[in-house]
Every structure is written in structure tokens, then in C-alpha cells.
Amino acid sequence: MSILTDTAGAHPARPAADGRARGPRDNRAAVVMATVFLVLAAVYMLLPVFWLLVSATKSQGDLVDSFGFWFSGFHLGENLKALFTREDGVYLHWLLNSLLYAGLGAAVGTLLSSMAGYALAKYTFRGRELVFSVILGGVLLPATALALPLFLMFAKLDATNTFWSVFLPSIVSPFGVYLSRIFAASSVPDEVIEAARIDGAGEMRTFFTIALRLMSPAMVTIFLFQFVVIWNNFLLPLVMLQDERLYPVTLGLFTWQSQVSRDPQLQILTVTGSLVSVVPIVIAFLALQRYWRAGLSAGAVKS
Amino acid sequence: MTAVPTRTAAAPAATSRTSPARPRRQRGHWLFLLPFLVPFTLFTVVPVGYAAYQSLFRTQRVGGTFGHTTSVFAGLHQYREVLSDPDFTRSVGRVLLFGIVQIPVMLLFALVLALLLDSTVARLKRFFRVAYFVPYGIPGVIAALMWGFLYDPRLSPVVDVLHKVGAHPDFLGSGSILWSMANVVTWTYTGYNMLIIYAALQAIPADIYEAARMDGATGAAIAWRIKVPIVRPALVLTGVFSIIGTLQLFTEPQVFRSISTSVTSTYTPNLAAYSLAAGDDYSEAAAMSVTLALATFILSFGFLKLSSRKAQA
């Protein structure tokens, strides 16, 4: 149930831990020490991002010569222009490819996971636990372990270097099934399904008009998890794709970086391109934080 | 991880017994399961099976250097090759060393941050929670590229500052680069692990602490004696994910190869398998992938079993 309330945006009532009601034993020294530690940790986490932000505004010369943690000249506009016009705008291609692989892949994957999770939570049938165990086994088999076997299979079918060779494997998310089974069990009451059946709704209709709506906060969580996994996937596109026009942005920036020794200008473009690719995802990430916490607690809470 | 599904499984079983049996209801589930199970089979089960099958063959060249290649059945020959390959065993040793040092450091760091954010002594909790989670939003390739710049002696402001105080670190040397990678991984995943632990801490009802406080326990004592044992399952979960991630280490070494000569093409097991496949040696690459997948599976599963047995004792 705590999953439900979390996804609905309500914070669990924990006055003692929320900092409002402080115990008399919190002495000043403990507060200072804790704060110093937390600040140092925050500096460690944020300094590289700050460096990226600062560096993207520099010229290639200043990137090398000036002090890295402070501004020197402002060339962000020129860098962006160079970034988007390089090789006939290949960078924009990469960004759109990433959006397509991750956005569409996560959308399709979330729907498939939700259906499977719903079936595993709300139907009783022979072999249900076996099916679930096999899917859980898939959780322990990470994407990187599958990339090479997938490549060998697609190579046999002569299907590497296609959009589908990266897209199709990405829609499978065993972890999504695991999460949606938990969510379906807790957020779709059996009485509601029964009522829909008595009213004569078919199984599919019951799912799409009723269950899906009740599960929608959970589906946002599953979508986000899968989106980030696909967006971050590096090995699969690396082994599958030769055509630069099919690259996701991570692979594109990697190839630029590995060509820096031939063309130094690519260094500042890699920096700027990294910043541009990171900004939208970090913003989306922070804006949708409560969904993350819901998904994380579902995996971690045992009671 | 195992506790939640068993709990949820009980509910539907109970209701189906109380409601009258409907034949339609017994068939519906496959309509929902097949759209997932078909791609799951095609893109998870079949590739692993195909790789296992291919690992039993060996490619042979027929008719000299320029002749075509054929594959012949070779049994477990490729596996003997893989296991007796000194580069491969070295790469396995390397990721094990990496994991033994990096995973405890990262999880301890994440645990301390989570406990502090859950305690009454911390201020600005919301800000810190967000700040620590930012690195997880940055793709591994970008994180490695970014830290690569920060390690590069020609570019790095970190090296500049250290030079001024008289230190001359070599982040990209053969002795230190493994730990430079460990730093990138720690940076990326500490916040994520912290949030998993923090979510578990938040689920503990506050009245549990009241009794301890009445007895005069300090915040630190409550944290170590009460909170840490309760969030054990969360620590086990983060441990399993970390073990899997470590054995599969690929992105960081692959990115660092372009800035440091210390990273060889067989630096980690995954990189070694990738290099074999890139060199068209599919059979040995397949055998290596299967070996690695099996090892990952056994280690993470073993860790789960071991920690659940300890919890019951």
C-alpha cells in the first residue's frame, strides 16, 4: 500500500524524521559534522556537472588553457552552431534516434510489461510461478550480457546495422514485469475486475478501460526506468550499428571522442554535445522524482 | 526481492476460489502474457541459447589463407580455450578486485548518506537528496567521457590544483586507472543506491524509535542498532545489482581506451568478449559471453541465497 500512496504524491507522515521535530539530543557539533559531510558529498556529485557546464561555454583553445572550474570567454552560441552543423547535422540525428529508441521502446515495453504483470497478479493458472521465475531470471541477466549473443543471432539473420536490431531487444524489460506485478496486485482491486465482468466487459476491455487507468502512476515509473536503461545502453548499439545515421547520441559522442587525436576541434564538440544530451534528461529526472522513489521503494521494501 | 512476489501471490488465489469458475477467465491470461513472452523469448532466451549452441563450434579455414571458413563441431573446446586464456583470467581477477573494493566503499557511502538524510541532524535534506541523484541521470558513456577530461593531465583542473599543492597524480597510469574507473562507477551509482536505502528507511514506522529514545539511545546508536538491520533487504538488493554491474563492466574501460594506453583490449571480461567478436572470432566470443553470463547469474544468485540464509539465522 505504501507504493500506492507514494505514487499518488503523498509523502508518508514521518514527523520525527522530517526534521521539524528535533530531539533535544541533537547537539550543535553533530549538526555541523553532518552538514560538512553532506556538503562535501554534494560537491563531489555536482562538481563534474559544473565543469561540463562551464567547459561548454569555452572555445577549444580555452578548454585546454584556462582553469577548468571557471568561465573564460563565452562561446556557447558558436559551439552549439558547430555542434548542430557538423557533418550535415548528424548530432541532431543522434538525439532524435536516442529519443526514438528510448521513448518509443520504453512506451511499447511498458505496455507489454503492464499486461504481463497484470496477468501474473490477477489470474490464477498452472505454471504461473514458473513463468514468473523465468522472467525474474531475466532480471539477473543484464543487458550487457545479452548484447553479444543478440549480435551473434542478428548477424546470422543478416539483420545487424538496422533500426530494429537495437529497438526490438530494448522493448523487453523483465524488471518492468516484476514491478507491474507488484503494482497491479496492490492497485487493482479484485472487486473492480469482478464488477466489470458482471457488467459484461471482456477481459481486454476490462484491462484497457479499468486496470490500465488504476495502474497508470505505476506505469510512469516503469516507463522512466526503462527509458533510462535504453538511453544509457551503449554496448548493444556499439556491436549492432555501423551506419552513423542510426547511432544513439551516446555512441555518436563516443566516436567523436575517439577521433579527437585526428581532429582536436571534436573535443569541444564532445563537451558541448554531452551537455546538450544531458540537460533534458536531468530535468525530466528531477521533475519526476516521486515516481522514481515509488519504484525504488517497491524494489527495496520488505514487510 | 523474493519476499514481495510471494506476498502478492496470495491475494488472487484466494478470490478465484470464492468466485464461480468461468472458463473464459482461465484462458484470458495468455492474451496478456504472450505480447511480452514472445519478444522475451526471441530476444532473451533464444540469443542465449544460440550463443551456447555456437560456442560448441570452431571455425576452420578451408584451402589456405584465402579459402573460405567453415564451422565444425568442437564440443567444449572453446570453453577450454577461454578458461586457459591468461588474458581472460587476468580480466576476471581485475573485475573481482574492483568489486571487492568498490562495492563496499560505494554501499557504505550510500548507507551513511541515507542514514544522515533520515536522521534529525541533517539540514536541507531535499536539496541534498536531489543533488546526489543527479549523476544517475547522466548516461555511463557521458560520465566516463566527463571524468576522462577531468583525469586528462592536459585538460584537468583537478590535476592543476593538485600540482599547485605539490601532488603529481597520474589518474591514467596502469597502476591507478582501475581505481579511476571505480571512482566513475561510485560517482554514478552512489545516489541511486542511497535512494533505495533511503526509501527503505522511510518505510520504517517512527514509533519503533520512540522506545529506543525513551531508553536513552542516541541517534547514532539507533541508526546502527535499529535502522541498519531493518534495511538489510535494501542493502542486499543494492549489493546484487552492484555485483552484476561490476562483472559486466564495459562502458568505462571502453571509453578510457581512447585516452589511456593502460587499458588493453582484454581489460575486463566483457571487453575481451567484445574484442573477440569484433575480430570475427564468434565461437570463442560466444563461449566467453556464456561463461560470463553464467558466472554473473551464479554469483548474484549465490549472494541472494547466502544473505537470505544469514537473515534467518
Side-chain angles (χ1 to χ4, degrees), chain B:
Chain B
M1 231 175 129
T2 45
V4 186
T6 40
R7 185 162 55 89
T8 56
T15 43
S16 69
R17 241 173 272 129
T18 52
S19 60
R22 290 155 197 259
R24 184 171 52 118
R25 193 178 172 188
Q26 292 308 311
R27 268 181 277 116
H29 53 272
W30 290 113
L31 280 176
F32 294 110
L33 275 171
L34 282 177
F36 175 80
L37 286 179
V38 169
F40 176 74
T41 308
L42 282 179
F43 303 117
T44 303
V45 181
V46 171
V48 171
Y50 181 67
Y53 168 79
Q54 194 161 21
S55 69
L56 302 175
F57 288 82
R58 181 167 48 160
T59 39
Q60 263 183 350
R61 225 169 258 284
V62 180
T65 322
F66 299 102
H68 64 286
T69 56
T70 59
S71 43
V72 288
F73 185 78
L76 294 177
H77 170 81
Q78 299 292 359
Y79 289 92
R80 276 193 295 275
E81 290 277 295
V82 167
L83 294 175
S84 62
D85 178 356
D87 284 337
F88 183 73
T89 19
R90 257 198 296 274
S91 73
V92 172
R94 205 173 277 128
V95 289
L96 287 180
L97 176 68
F98 181 102
I100 288 167
V101 176
Q102 190 267 338
I103 295 175
V105 168
M106 173 178 67
L107 293 187
L108 187 68
F109 189 22
L111 177 65
V112 169
L113 290 178
L115 285 172
L116 280 176
L117 289 183
D118 189 61
S119 75
T120 54
V121 291
R123 306 286 183 264
L124 293 171
K125 292 173 183 187
R126 235 186 112 76
F127 165 77
F128 286 123
R129 214 171 53 216
V130 171
Y132 301 156
F133 200 41
V134 166
Y136 185 68
I138 295 175
V141 177
I142 310 285
L145 285 173
M146 204 158 66
W147 279 99
F149 285 121
L150 291 174
Y151 292 148
D152 191 330
R154 286 160 300 173
L155 287 174
S156 171
V158 179
V159 176
D160 285 350
V161 170
L162 289 171
H163 267 282
K164 289 220 173 71
V165 298
H168 295 274
D170 178 13
F171 292 118
L172 300 174
S174 58
S176 51
I177 194 149
L178 187 66
W179 309 116
S180 300
M181 286 177 204
N183 175 53
V184 179
V185 175
T186 306
W187 180 79
T188 310
Y189 291 104
T190 299
Y192 171 77
N193 289 318
M194 179 213 73
L195 270 193
I196 293 182
I197 300 166
Y198 181 76
L201 282 170
Q202 291 278 298
I204 304 175
D207 49 342
I208 287 186
Y209 309 132
E210 287 310 312
R213 246 182 225 135
M214 299 276 200
D215 292 344
T218 61
I222 291 174
W224 288 109
R225 301 236 180 88
I226 301 176
K227 290 184 182 179
V228 173
I230 291 182
V231 298
R232 246 188 83 98
L235 286 171
V236 170
L237 184 79
T238 53
V240 170
F241 283 149
S242 305
I243 290 173
I244 294 174
T246 303
L247 286 169
Q248 298 292 328
L249 200 62
F250 178 80
T251 305
E252 289 79 11
Q254 173 70 6
V255 171
F256 280 13
R257 280 189 73 190
S258 61
I259 53 168
S260 167
T261 49
S262 312
V263 185
T264 58
S265 64
T266 56
Y267 199 75
T268 66
N270 229 339
L271 198 54
Y274 166 75
S275 304
L276 279 173
D280 281 344
D281 195 345
Y282 290 176
S283 298
E284 203 180 334
M288 214 176 254
S289 298
V290 172
T291 309
L292 187 60
L294 269 177
T296 308
F297 199 83
I298 290 167
L299 259 176
S300 48
F301 197 74
F303 182 77
L304 268 177
K305 281 273 162 230
L306 195 75
S307 44
S308 65
R309 193 186 309 155
K310 256 197 205 156
Q312 280 156 14

Side-chain angles (χ1 to χ4, degrees), chain A:
Chain A
M1 270 326 266
S2 69
I3 299 150
L4 245 187
T5 41
D6 263 15
T7 43
H11 292 284
R14 280 279 309 277
D18 266 337
R20 251 168 274 125
R22 290 190 183 105
R25 263 177 293 274
D26 294 342
N27 59 51
R28 196 169 279 274
V31 172
V32 169
M33 265 164 57
T35 309
V36 167
F37 186 81
L38 290 171
V39 167
L40 285 178
V43 168
Y44 170 66
M45 301 289 186
L46 295 180
L47 202 58
V49 184
F50 176 71
W51 174 87
L52 190 69
L53 198 70
V54 168
S55 298
T57 68
K58 291 179 177 175
S59 64
Q60 173 64 33
D62 280 343
L63 181 68
V64 182
D65 296 329
S66 68
F67 181 60
F69 288 135
W70 201 245
F71 297 92
S72 169
F74 193 82
H75 300 271
L76 183 61
E78 293 150 51
N79 292 342
L80 286 174
K81 193 169 166 239
L83 176 71
F84 282 103
T85 51
R86 173 108 193 172
E87 293 164 41
D88 303 324
V90 75
Y91 180 81
L92 191 63
H93 258 278
W94 295 341
L95 267 187
L96 295 176
N97 287 341
S98 275
L99 269 178
L100 204 58
Y101 290 129
L104 194 63
V108 174
T110 303
L111 183 64
L112 302 189
S113 300
S114 305
M115 288 169 77
Y118 172 79
L120 289 168
K122 291 294 165 190
Y123 287 81
T124 326
F125 55 93
R126 269 178 59 160
R128 180 177 71 170
E129 291 314 307
L130 178 73
V131 170
F132 190 57
S133 303
V134 172
I135 294 172
L136 271 189
V139 176
L140 294 183
L141 202 65
T144 39
L146 281 171
L148 278 179
L150 277 167
F151 167 75
L152 298 173
M153 189 180 89
F154 274 83
K156 185 76 185 169
L157 302 171
D158 243 336
T160 60
N161 200 24
T162 57
F163 170 80
W164 302 106
S165 64
V166 174
F167 180 80
L168 286 176
S170 304
I171 64 172
V172 179
S173 170
F175 190 60
V177 177
Y178 168 72
L179 283 182
S180 67
R181 178 179 182 170
I182 298 172
F183 287 133
S186 64
S187 64
V188 185
D190 290 326
E191 294 77 17
V192 174
I193 301 176
E194 277 308 311
R197 285 200 183 111
I198 289 166
D199 288 348
E203 300 299 294
M204 276 293 159
R205 195 164 155 208
T206 307
F207 174 76
F208 279 103
T209 56
I210 296 166
L212 215 52
R213 201 163 300 164
L214 291 169
M215 288 169 71
S216 57
M219 290 175 70
V220 176
T221 305
I222 296 167
F223 175 84
L224 283 172
F225 269 91
Q226 205 175 346
F227 185 91
V228 167
V229 168
I230 303 174
W231 188 277
N232 285 355
N233 197 353
F234 173 59
L235 184 51
L236 186 69
L238 179 70
V239 295
M240 288 288 187
L241 304 175
Q242 286 92 48
D243 182 1
E244 281 210 345
R245 295 252 144 191
L246 293 173
Y247 282 6
V249 69
T250 45
L251 184 55
L253 289 170
F254 167 76
T255 46
W256 272 1
Q257 167 65 15
S258 45
Q259 291 164 7
V260 161
S261 53
R262 264 188 285 137
D263 182 355
Q265 182 64 26
L266 280 174
Q267 201 156 42
I268 189 68
L269 293 187
T270 309
V271 169
T272 313
S274 298
L275 181 71
V276 171
S277 76
V278 155
V279 165
I281 197 164
V282 168
I283 290 174
F285 220 73
L286 299 181
L288 298 165
Q289 235 205 118
R290 61 195 174 99
Y291 293 104
W292 285 96
R293 289 182 52 201
L296 293 171
S297 46
V301 176
K302 177 184 176 180
S303 57

